[in-house]
Amino acid sequence: MHETRTISLTVNGETSTNAVPVRQNLVDFLRNTLGLTGSHVGCEHGVCGACTLEVNGAMVRGCLMLAVQADGAEITTVEGFADSGRGADLRQAFVDRNALQCGYCTPGMLASALEYVEGGGVADRSAIREHLSGNYCRCTGYQSIVDAVCDVIDGRARS
Amino acid sequence: MSVHKSLPHDAARLHVTGTARYVDDIPTPTGCLHLAFGTSPVAKGRLTALNLDAVRAAPGVVAVMSGADFEVIPDCSPSAHDEPLLSDGTIHYAGQPLFMVVAESHLLARKAAALATPEIAEEPAVLTIDDALAAGTIFEDGPRVYGKGDVEAALRMTARTIDGQLEIGGQEHFYLEGQAALALPQEGGDMVIHSSSQHPTEIQHKVADALGLAMHGVRVEVRRMGGGFGGKESQGNHLAIACALAARATGRACKMRYDRDDDFIITGKRHDLRIGYRVGFDPDGRVTAVDFTHYVRCGWSMDLSLPVADRAMLHADNAYDLPACRITSHRLRTNTQSATAFRGFGGPQGMVGIERVMDHVAHALNMDPLAVRRVNYYAEAQGDGTDASGGSLLAKMKAGARVLDSAAVAGRGAVKVDGGGGRAARFGGPHSRPPVAPRDAMTPYGMKVEDFALHRITTQLAAACDYDARRAAVADWNARQPVLKKGIALTPVKFGISFTLTHLNQAGALVHVYQDGSIQMNHGGTEMGQGLFQKVAQVAAARFGVGLDAIKITATDTAKVPNTSATAASSGTDLNGMAVQAACDEIRARIAKVVAPELQARAENVVFADGMVRAGTAAMTFGEAVQRAYMARISLSATGFYATPKIAWDRIAGQGRPFYYFAYGAACSEVVIDTLTGENRILRTDILHDAGSSLNPALDIGQIEGGFVQGAGWLTTEELVWDATGRLRTHAPSTYKIPACSDRPEVFNVALWDGANREETVYRSKAVGEPPLMLGISVWSALAQACAACGPAYPDLPAPATAEAVLAAVERARG
Ligand code: FES
Ligand code: FES
């Protein structure tokens, strides 16, 4: 546990080099060492999706990846999406549609939804439901989240 | 005006940018330590030795404490002082904390905790309801009995009777943010606690008690929780107390959060119940008498089990006027997690009991269950001014696809809502007749039902979702399809609003107006996602006639508003909204008095609206008026207080008015089951729910959707399994299945019943936190219908209706 390795990675556009415990997972590293607490942990074994973030262009579970595995990687968290403006329409739709209550699932949910939207997903409710079924939300009942994603896809199609 | 408006959640912007802070996100002083509990692997026994040497020697460990380190082990119970923080040598359940580790990191603390070698002399554990009945382990001196009428006589005289028994499983809260607390030691031994808790005052009280301080030595702050659902009403005590003790011992900030598995294994869940019933009824489905027996599995300590079990009894009638009724409630002590508050607080279990009875009676008479339900409804409230034009709000907030058909129609006046008389008749076919002059509209606990709206709600919902035609189509489908069977059910909810412990129905608020016209608002309610803060801010903005941007919402803080009740019983907005309103009105009156001469008006004629303070044509901005008051040396700060009127309740006698009012709703769900596997799906759900004159329709609809899905989850996939030794085997999402996005109904329509509360609640709104959970009963009832379609016998479906349970019920139906 106390054994550490030094890793360099780019998080939200900024490069950092840190010595990390070899057993530490990526989301703990981001939260505890870099102070990026926007990514949440709900289960720490890959089921709830609260820790979903982007690593080298793919949405992954930050709790299922070790920090040392992210050596050299390019990582974007919810804070990074907000800073860069990427997915601004999705965030706005989550606000407008009341697609969050306690908000704990929101960062991970946004990441998965962004993956769907940017991947050319269509405004088909059952396809959206299927795509988001790996992200738990205990509060909303999901209806408003699917509404928000549909809005964004429709909006992007129009513009 | 800022009320009755669909505005987003106050922290929505923070949530979508990842900047909303939960307890574990709060920056801590350097040197912050982390805690973990070491727990008992067995359910019952005596701790004969606890060797913690390896734990102490583990890397990063700063301190280790067990029960032996305390003269008096601090207590965590919210009720009976029967929950020592760490075992005193007696083991009560598998998962009970035996010791705590304080270490340099969360992971190091957890790793060290795993190194202990407790030696326990195991004893036979009392795990199930049957075990507890055999062992006679009960809370209170005996069963509680509430009721009305002569049940024995009524059952003797009735045409038919049925006996039945139903097992209802518990439910894990699965708040997405696990339990968490942070203690920051202060000068002079004082303590500041940040806690993910619905009940900051309780945390303050218990931490003060543990530290030997007066309550004034402890300040508790709660900005938000990542979900609570009742699971953070008392279950956060342990973490806060442990952190406070460790912080005092080390002089360093101390933090604790449960890993998800620990959270499942240590904390309480919804109570599971067995409900026995004997019901008498007429050939037309009218229930003449019901005799219920509730067996409530409470777990090892009392916690909130007594009021939970009481509330189960208080909802044993749900929407039905039962001429004779008796509810006997046994509160059983078992060697399992101490069951606790969970959205509905026992009400859902009680309600499932009577809904099951309605289904069973309908099955026995081969009637439409909805007809049986309607014929037993309480009498509709007369002339309460309710505007039943449901859906006008809905139309504003949700796009076309989601608008309930009837809502739109009703808006155009095409559906005549007539109190359930004429239209009701068409639902039940030949068996039903319109509700005649009701029996006495008296609940089994002596409270008259004065605001009943379910005839109209049911009529409107049944028309909107095309219940009759779809029921016929389902029957037709079932006649033709051998493998996939469908079911449809429309079930009502009548939920009592108020804490049944009368003294808890009070709230305080603190409002400051600053010189620049900005306003800071604080109250005793906590935000767990339900939108309480926004709703109450809307009230404050409306009172001052300013925009919401003028209002600053602040964290719940025991130093600002003392002696608060838990944010529970759906009462958050009712209580705190009124308290804030009182504080605002106090300040408003002071300002009005100052500016009245200048506006050439009497103070009572000064109006606060649209950012202006005016009387007739004379006006000034709110900011100017505030300045005038400040210069005149008038206080711009006030407290507000509210105590719910009209309620009085004797829980021992089971008589009185425990509730200020009732909230109503109805849901219709259609399901399909696979008779080869038991697999099932919700095809469609339509909901019409009464939130009174909604303060914020968007937030209320969110509560309804989320509550329904959570309730449906409870009654379908969410199964808690303890093994024969009392270990909980479903202790993570890998084994415990809450609804995912793909599990919700394919078609899901929700509308608000647009009627004002007849009681003088804040802007005539109604509480909406808990009632919608019970709309999920429609899914369970529809599943029972689908099972019943498989054969002539009664399927006797338990809850949760897992695929396995459905399969077994199909077999039973086939006879
Ligand atoms: S915390 Fe990573 S999936 Fe749950
Ligand atoms: S908003 Fe609470 S878990 Fe999704």
Side-chain angles (χ1 to χ4, degrees), chain B residues 600-668:
Chain B
Q600 297 188 326
R602 291 150 63 107
E604 55 270 31
N605 295 333
V606 174
V607 177
F608 292 69
D610 307 320
M612 303 299 289
V613 178
R614 62 165 66 91
T617 51
M620 64 179 76
T621 65
F622 179 72
E624 285 164 351
V626 167
Q627 265 300 324
R628 302 280 201 285
Y630 172 70
M631 294 307 291
R633 298 189 296 170
I634 295 300
S635 165
L636 290 165
S637 173
T639 59
F641 189 77
Y642 177 71
T644 310
K646 293 192 180 179
I647 46 179
W649 172 240
D650 178 345
R651 71 167 285 269
I652 302 301
Q655 284 294 316
R657 178 173 181 165
F659 306 124
Y660 189 24
Y661 61 90
F662 294 100
Y664 298 93
C668 179

Side-chain angles (χ1 to χ4, degrees), chain A residues 40-44 46-51 61 63:
Chain A
H40 299 144
V41 289
C43 70
E44 296 172 82
V47 184
C48 76
C51 61
R61 313 241 143 164
C63 72

Side-chain angles (χ1 to χ4, degrees), chain B residues 489-743:
Chain B
L490 194 160
T491 61
V493 172
K494 162 181 141 288
F495 193 78
I497 304 298
S498 291
F499 286 99
T500 55
L501 213 49
T502 303
H503 78 265
L504 297 179
N505 295 288
Q506 58 169 312
L510 176 65
V511 174
H512 302 319
V513 177
Y514 295 97
Q515 294 174 54
D516 63 355
S518 65
I519 297 157
Q520 195 188 78
M521 175 198 86
N522 196 276
H523 53 78
T526 56
E527 178 64 46
M528 59 196 104
Q530 80 278 46
L532 168 70
F533 281 13
Q534 179 70 318
K535 282 180 166 184
V536 177
Q538 287 176 252
V539 170
R543 298 321 282 179
F544 287 118
V546 298
L548 267 168
D549 50 355
I551 311 283
K552 174 63 80 183
I553 294 168
T554 55
T556 316
D557 187 336
T558 57
K560 289 186 179 164
V561 177
N563 309 324
T564 58
S565 295
T567 307
S570 305
S571 65
T573 307
D574 280 9
L575 296 176
N576 296 291
M578 286 302 251
V580 163
Q581 177 171 311
C584 294
D585 289 357
E586 166 79 34
I587 298 173
R588 206 171 64 166
R590 291 183 205 152
I591 296 174
K593 202 168 157 204
V594 172
V595 300
E598 193 177 337
L599 297 176
Q600 297 188 326
R602 291 150 63 107
E604 55 270 31
N605 295 333
V606 174
V607 177
F608 292 69
D610 307 320
M612 303 299 289
V613 178
R614 62 165 66 91
T617 51
M620 64 179 76
T621 65
F622 179 72
E624 285 164 351
V626 167
Q627 265 300 324
R628 302 280 201 285
Y630 172 70
M631 294 307 291
R633 298 189 296 170
I634 295 300
S635 165
L636 290 165
S637 173
T639 59
F641 189 77
Y642 177 71
T644 310
K646 293 192 180 179
I647 46 179
W649 172 240
D650 178 345
R651 71 167 285 269
I652 302 301
Q655 284 294 316
R657 178 173 181 165
F659 306 124
Y660 189 24
Y661 61 90
F662 294 100
Y664 298 93
C668 179
S669 291
E670 182 176 341
V671 301
V672 61
I673 63 170
D674 181 333
T675 56
L676 300 176
T677 63
E679 227 181 311
N680 54 77
R681 296 208 138 263
I682 309 172
L683 298 173
R684 172 173 170 182
T685 295
D686 297 86
I687 290 171
L688 187 53
H689 193 85
D690 161 33
S693 201
S694 171
L695 282 174
N696 184 325
L699 295 180
D700 285 355
I701 285 187
Q703 287 297 297
I704 295 164
E705 290 171 348
F708 165 80
V709 168
Q710 199 171 59
W714 167 47
L715 295 170
T716 55
T717 62
E718 297 188 35
E719 186 182 30
L720 291 162
V721 180
W722 284 265
D723 67 16
T725 66
R727 282 180 306 168
L728 178 66
R729 302 322 302 246
T730 49
H731 52 77
S734 47
T735 43
Y736 182 81
K737 176 74 176 67
I738 69 168
C741 195
S742 46
D743 296 321

Side-chain angles (χ1 to χ4, degrees), chain A residues 31 42 92 102 143 147, chain B residues 13 22 25 260 402 744:
Chain A
R31 289 177 51 81
Q92 188 59 45
C102 81
Q143 181 78 358
D147 287 343
Chain B
R13 203 45 58 219
Y22 302 84
D25 304 337
R260 182 62 61 179
R402 307 204 39 208
R744 39 164 305 289

Side-chain angles (χ1 to χ4, degrees), chain A residues 100-106 136-140, chain B residues 176 226:
Chain A
L100 54 89
Q101 286 178 27
C102 81
Y104 204 77
C105 68
T106 308
Y136 277 159
C137 174
R138 191 52 152 167
C139 301
T140 63
Chain B
L176 217 59

